Amino acid sequence: MNLLLTIRIGFIATIFCFIGLYAQAQQVKVVKFGELQKLRTSNTDTLYVVNFWATWCGPCIKELPYFEAVNKQYRNQPVRVVLVSMDAVQDLKKVKAFMQKRKLASDVWLLNETDANSWIDSLEPKWSGAIPATMLFNNRRKQYHFVEKELKESELQALVKRFKP
């Protein structure tokens, strides 16, 4: 009986460890515009696929699986998907719950800026501020593309194939 109890406790402890590791991987990084700007000006040979979205945006939610597919498909290559949430910073718990429910594995950032007019033009002058919006860039190769619309899976895949190192 003692052995059975030990096995059960060990099994339960193992389950909690896996849950803890999964929850730890599912983090939301709260960032200011400067962090986003650093990424935009980095000098690495990495293709960054940065998608601006929100939990309340239907077209954004519809295209999230396409970004997740790119993240999974190119995980061992110099391609990095960053999903930048435009939700209010007060909604951090909501964003975390959203990404856990949908099992988002891409990097998720929550942009902690209240005045979009103060930073949008310096990031992308052609951007009206509407979402979804996506930018793809590889600064070392001087590649850049911006899209202010919902992407179809085939469109996103074609863009990534066109720009990937």
Side-chain angles (χ1 to χ4, degrees), residues 46-59:
T46 298
L47 173 63
Y48 289 94
V49 181
V50 181
N51 176 255
F52 296 88
W53 66 286
T55 59
W56 44 263
C57 169

Side-chain angles (χ1 to χ4, degrees), residues 4-37:
L4 185 59
L5 181 61
T6 303
I7 291 170
R8 285 183 181 166
I9 290 171
F11 178 74
I12 291 169
T14 301
I15 295 294
F16 279 115
C17 284
F18 281 118
I19 290 170
L21 287 173
Y22 177 76
Q24 189 175 20
Q26 297 279 320
Q27 296 297 317
V28 176
K29 183 177 179 181
V30 178
V31 299
K32 297 297 272 179
F33 172 69
E35 184 89 12
L36 190 56
Q37 190 67 2

Side-chain angles (χ1 to χ4, degrees), residues 28-30 87-97 110:
V28 176
K29 183 177 179 181
V30 178
D87 288 273
V89 74
Q90 299 91 319
D91 294 329
L92 176 60
K93 285 183 182 177
K94 179 181 176 183
V95 174
K96 284 182 178 181
L110 177 62

Side-chain angles (χ1 to χ4, degrees), residues 76-94:
N76 296 321
Q77 296 179 41
V79 176
R80 183 173 171 205
V81 175
V82 180
L83 304 173
V84 180
S85 172
M86 303 299 286
D87 288 273
V89 74
Q90 299 91 319
D91 294 329
L92 176 60
K93 285 183 182 177
K94 179 181 176 183

Side-chain angles (χ1 to χ4, degrees), residues 91-126:
D91 294 329
L92 176 60
K93 285 183 182 177
K94 179 181 176 183
V95 174
K96 284 182 178 181
F98 179 91
M99 69 176 285
Q100 287 176 351
K101 179 181 177 186
R102 298 192 186 276
K103 297 180 175 77
L104 299 181
S106 300
D107 291 336
V108 177
W109 292 7
L110 177 62
L111 192 58
N112 184 12
E113 295 290 347
T114 54
D115 181 15
N117 292 327
S118 68
W119 59 268
I120 283 182
D121 284 343
S122 50
L123 188 65
E124 172 49 64
K126 292 182 255 168

